[in-house]
Amino acid sequence: MKKLVSFILLLSISCVQALPQNLILLSDCHQQEGIDKDDITATHQLITALQQATAPIIASTSLWKNIVDRKQAFTKKLQDQYSLESEIYRLYQATNKQLQIFDYNLDRINKKLSLSWYAQQYSKLALLQQDQLNKLKFNFLCYSFNLDFNTWSVYDAKTGMFLFVPLQNNIVVNKRQQISQESDLVHDFSKKNSVIQSLQVYFSGNDDEWVIYASGHGNLQDDKEEAMIAGMSIGEFSDLLSYFDQVMKIKLFVYSSCYAGGVHTVEPYKNKQVHFPVIVVSLTDCPIYGFGFFEGVKLPPYTKNLYLTPQDIARKKGLLPCKIQDFQSFFRSAWSGQHDLHLIGLVSQFFSCDDVICSVKKIENMPLVRKAGALYFNVFEDEATHNLMHKAKDFTTIYSKKAILLYTKKIEKIVLKNTVSIISMLPGLQNHQINELIAQSLSFSQIVNESFLSLADAAKNKNYLINRLVCKNDIIAGAANQEISHCMIIQQGFMPKFLPDKIETCISFAVGKVWYLIVWKDQKPKKIMTLTHEQINIITELEQFMQQGIDVQSDMIPDELLTFDAYVKNKVYQNDIIESCLRDKICR
């Protein structure tokens, strides 16, 4: 009986000690951000998280170094009163002064500090290119930011990553790793970052439950760089998932990274069935978009698209940092179980949700969710997502005014009155067939650019075969109202052998008995060819090879096509088909 009581007591104590904890993880393991580089996303998020002091932060030391270096460089430039740095600093001071003069009357401020006022008063800034101005503004943000040791405890475990903990937080950390003053933060800028080692050292023996938000750069593997997700290599990220699953109790894991969708929703996961839900802020194999104002505050000029609101100012303080991410609301919503677009809108400015409607500015930032124990990612199954996109999951006819996500290899018919993004959700090299695409009011160029190639810098790993296309042919003179057949949009694996190397996209089609091929670059035709009899034979044989690629796994249940096993089998089949095409000297 005593043993039973003791066991119950120990169990109750452990339950009391298991606390809900939040963590922001900002990784730049390969140091893609620095004073001499253009990338600033992770550094910007670090400043935002430090300003809000909502949750512990583990961040690569190089991100802190980026802030320090930019602050020092900006400070030095301020010694020259004619420098651009002095100019933007004066603009900041003048804006706060005008707020005081007009007693914080925003209507009058927004009218006075207009584009014409800005151009007249700050002509040197007005002449800058947007990218130059953005860099200057971000350097000003770094200059104006100061870490408050009355708000934060800071730790350095020599793992290449600092830990920042708000003083009011109840997490237990080894005090021997603590840094007592800001100057100690510049002594260790290790080039080696280890996320798992940092978690092990900082939170050794921790039995709490966690909501974790992670962010960092991502890219696909190419000849120069290895593949990355959220600032880590694919291997590091995969190991981190295993560490979370085996060592930590996770309520929810959310990460934001370019190229984190598509193949990167399967390769690092393999067949892992982790015990926690995962949300990735990335729809497919393409870049996602940034996080807001480079200067951290809304500086003039004020226009109808950028104006001050009551949330942007405070009496006696003037301009306030813009909430490009609301971490406090994010973590509160995550713990309440609100795992939807509203949650993601708190950390991605490209979503805007209220009680009535959600809107999306960049479809690339649409999140995917992988439920606890699941084998694949999918978009949220909620009303907001349904209002933003159409999920094509069977061989049917689609009438849509919103983005079409292809979860199936074959579609019977698509009817469009306006251009919408048509996006393959199947990972890796995929070939899709659309029997009919009817878009009578749209031009051929619009359909190519705004539907099939709508995602800028996306991986070139999707091909499309459209048997019948009805649109306004703005490419071929005299064929504006003629139907197009045998249309292939080719980006990978099936380039005809008569084309030279280094062509990323080609489009072949027939109008009546005449066949054409277009080399497509920079959203327009670079070269238009009328095909010879021999070239037509190559194109028709190429179409047969692509049809083989389409027929592979076309009878599978759509959700099964998203799994790792299906991805691997498709990859093998597609490579075999391409090898046959090369062997028959049809592809190059």
Side-chain angles (χ1 to χ4, degrees):
M1 185 66 180
K2 288 183 178 179
K3 289 184 179 179
L4 179 60
V5 172
S6 299
F7 174 78
I8 294 173
L9 181 61
L10 286 171
L11 183 61
S12 64
I13 291 172
S14 65
C15 291
V16 171
Q17 290 175 338
L19 300 173
Q21 297 288 0
N22 303 318
L23 180 65
I24 298 169
L25 179 59
L26 301 172
S27 178
D28 188 24
C29 293
H30 296 257
Q31 299 196 357
Q32 290 182 254
E33 299 196 11
I35 191 171
D36 57 342
K37 299 177 181 178
D38 294 331
D39 292 329
I40 60 168
T41 300
T43 306
H44 198 176
Q45 291 183 89
L46 175 57
I47 292 175
T48 300
L50 289 169
Q51 286 172 332
Q52 295 181 22
T54 297
I57 306 164
I58 291 180
S60 297
T61 57
S62 58
L63 298 177
W64 179 258
K65 185 177 188 298
N66 193 17
I67 297 172
V68 172
D69 288 347
R70 290 173 185 268
K71 180 192 289 280
Q72 291 176 346
F74 196 95
T75 302
K76 186 175 181 180
K77 290 285 188 179
L78 284 180
Q79 296 173 11
D80 177 4
Q81 63 175 323
Y82 301 106
S83 67
L84 292 170
E85 286 75 8
S86 294
E87 186 92 336
I88 200 167
Y89 182 67
R90 286 192 292 269
L91 174 62
Y92 172 75
Q93 289 182 311
T95 306
N96 282 326
K97 184 68 179 288
Q98 292 295 323
L99 284 168
Q100 293 176 351
I101 292 172
F102 286 98
D103 194 30
Y104 295 88
N105 185 312
L106 296 185
D107 287 339
R108 297 177 67 185
I109 287 292
N110 285 321
K111 288 178 181 178
K112 178 173 181 179
L113 307 190
S114 63
L115 188 61
S116 59
W117 173 88
Y118 174 74
Q120 183 178 5
Q121 299 292 324
Y122 299 93
S123 57
K124 289 198 295 185
L125 296 179
L127 291 173
L128 292 177
Q129 297 292 327
Q130 191 60 52
D131 57 343
Q132 295 175 302
L133 185 60
N134 288 342
K135 184 175 181 179
L136 180 64
K137 288 179 174 181
F138 184 71
N139 290 343
F140 172 65
L141 173 61
C142 293
Y143 164 78
S144 59
F145 171 75
N146 290 296
L147 183 67
D148 185 359
F149 270 74
N150 293 317
T151 303
W152 291 95
S153 296
V154 187
Y155 303 86
D156 181 11
K158 309 301 181 184
T159 60
M161 306 192 82
F162 293 131
L163 169 64
F164 303 86
V165 180
L167 289 182
Q168 73 272 18
N169 192 273
N170 55 12
I171 199 167
V172 177
V173 181
N174 189 337
K175 299 296 183 183
R176 289 180 297 179
Q177 301 160 351
Q178 188 166 0
I179 292 173
S180 59
Q181 53 190 358
E182 187 171 351
S183 60
D184 293 333
L185 277 166
V186 299
H187 293 157
D188 178 30
F189 291 131
S190 173
K191 291 186 177 181
K192 184 178 180 181
N193 290 224
S194 175
V195 177
I196 293 177
Q197 186 184 6
S198 300
L199 291 168
Q200 289 172 328
V201 174
Y202 289 127
F203 305 134
S204 178
N206 185 289
D207 199 37
D208 295 334
E209 188 175 18
W210 297 82
V211 169
I212 299 177
Y213 169 81
S215 186
H217 293 284
N219 56 260
L220 297 171
Q221 185 171 357
D222 57 28
D223 296 336
K224 298 179 180 179
E225 296 180 306
E226 64 177 328
M228 292 179 58
I229 304 175
M232 294 167 268
S233 68
I234 293 292
E236 291 170 319
F237 185 80
S238 183
D239 290 343
L240 179 63
L241 291 170
S242 297
Y243 183 83
F244 283 162
D245 190 46
Q246 298 165 15
V247 179
M248 299 178 68
K249 296 178 182 177
I250 308 294
K251 169 78 171 179
L252 175 67
F253 177 42
V254 177
Y255 61 101
S256 177
S257 172
C258 290
Y259 297 102
V263 295
H264 288 168
T265 60
V266 291
E267 287 184 344
Y269 288 84
K270 295 184 170 56
N271 287 313
K272 288 185 175 73
Q273 292 179 278
V274 296
H275 72 264
F276 50 91
V278 182
I279 298 174
V280 54
V281 187
S282 179
L283 184 65
T284 186
D285 302 301
C286 64
I288 62 171
Y289 288 80
F291 296 89
F293 295 99
F294 289 91
E295 67 270 38
V297 297
K298 287 185 182 177
L299 290 178
Y302 300 128
T303 66
K304 64 179 181 179
N305 297 320
L306 180 70
Y307 52 89
L308 289 178
T309 68
Q311 290 73 39
D312 300 319
I313 63 169
R315 286 186 176 273
K316 298 183 180 180
K317 291 184 179 179
L319 294 171
L320 295 176
C322 292
K323 260 191 175 179
I324 60 170
Q325 293 171 288
D326 186 348
F327 286 114
Q328 183 176 17
S329 298
F330 169 80
F331 286 116
R332 183 172 59 246
S333 297
W335 282 104
S336 72
Q338 186 181 359
H339 301 168
D340 56 13
L341 284 187
H342 292 79
L343 176 73
I344 302 307
L346 298 169
V347 289
S348 172
Q349 67 164 356
F350 288 96
F351 289 92
S352 175
C353 291
D354 55 32
D355 293 335
V356 180
I357 191 170
C358 282
S359 62
V360 58
K361 299 177 186 176
K362 290 289 185 180
I363 194 72
E364 295 92 322
N365 285 45
M366 177 64 68
L368 304 174
V369 60
R370 182 182 176 114
K371 297 178 181 178
L375 286 172
Y376 56 85
F377 279 87
N378 211 327
V379 296
F380 289 111
E381 299 289 343
D382 59 22
E383 184 178 355
T385 306
H386 176 77
N387 291 334
L388 290 169
M389 60 189 58
H390 178 94
K391 302 175 191 175
K393 289 195 169 186
D394 52 26
F395 188 73
T396 185
T397 298
I398 299 170
Y399 299 86
S400 183
K401 294 182 180 180
K402 49 197 176 183
I404 300 172
L405 306 186
L406 300 180
Y407 287 92
T408 181
K409 298 193 121 188
K410 294 183 179 181
I411 296 292
E412 168 61 23
K413 186 176 183 180
I414 296 177
V415 180
L416 298 178
K417 291 186 177 180
N418 57 288
T419 51
V420 300
S421 295
I422 299 176
I423 302 169
S424 171
M425 296 302 292
L426 306 183
L429 173 58
Q430 296 287 348
N431 302 289
H432 291 275
Q433 181 178 24
I434 301 168
N435 191 38
E436 291 183 287
L437 175 54
I438 311 299
Q440 292 176 321
S441 62
L442 305 178
S443 71
F444 193 178
S445 297
Q446 281 181 297
I447 293 169
V448 172
N449 285 326
E450 299 174 31
S451 290
F452 293 102
L453 305 181
S454 62
L455 305 183
D457 298 320
K460 311 296 183 184
N461 57 6
K462 312 298 181 190
N463 302 315
Y464 301 92
L465 170 59
I466 307 168
N467 295 335
R468 176 174 178 251
L469 173 58
V470 178
C471 66
K472 294 178 180 178
N473 193 335
D474 60 335
I475 304 298
I476 306 302
N481 298 314
Q482 296 184 47
E483 285 189 11
I484 294 170
S485 63
H486 299 279
C487 181
M488 289 190 292
I489 302 173
I490 304 171
Q491 297 186 88
Q492 184 178 336
F494 295 95
M495 287 291 174
K497 71 172 186 178
F498 55 81
L499 285 181
D501 292 340
K502 297 182 180 180
I503 290 175
E504 292 185 345
T505 303
C506 76
I507 303 169
S508 64
F509 58 92
V511 177
K513 295 182 179 180
V514 183
W515 290 67
Y516 301 91
L517 185 139
I518 305 171
V519 175
W520 202 269
K521 187 176 182 180
D522 298 329
Q523 299 185 311
K524 60 186 178 183
K526 182 181 179 183
K527 182 178 181 181
I528 302 174
M529 301 170 56
T530 301
L531 300 183
T532 64
H533 178 72
E534 182 182 353
Q535 290 170 336
I536 293 172
N537 289 337
I538 290 174
I539 290 295
T540 54
E541 289 188 62
L542 193 64
E543 183 178 337
Q544 293 174 18
F545 279 110
M546 187 181 289
Q547 187 68 58
Q548 291 180 49
I550 292 165
D551 292 339
V552 168
Q553 299 176 318
S554 63
D555 58 346
M556 287 183 65
I557 297 171
D559 287 346
E560 289 183 0
L561 290 171
L562 302 174
T563 63
F564 177 74
D565 287 343
Y567 161 73
V568 171
K569 288 179 181 179
N570 177 70
K571 187 175 182 179
V572 172
Y573 290 146
Q574 298 295 342
N575 286 339
D576 287 346
I577 293 166
I578 292 170
E579 284 297 321
S580 297
C581 188
L582 290 168
R583 191 167 50 250
D584 291 353
K585 298 182 179 179
I586 303 300
C587 304
R588 62 157 172 78

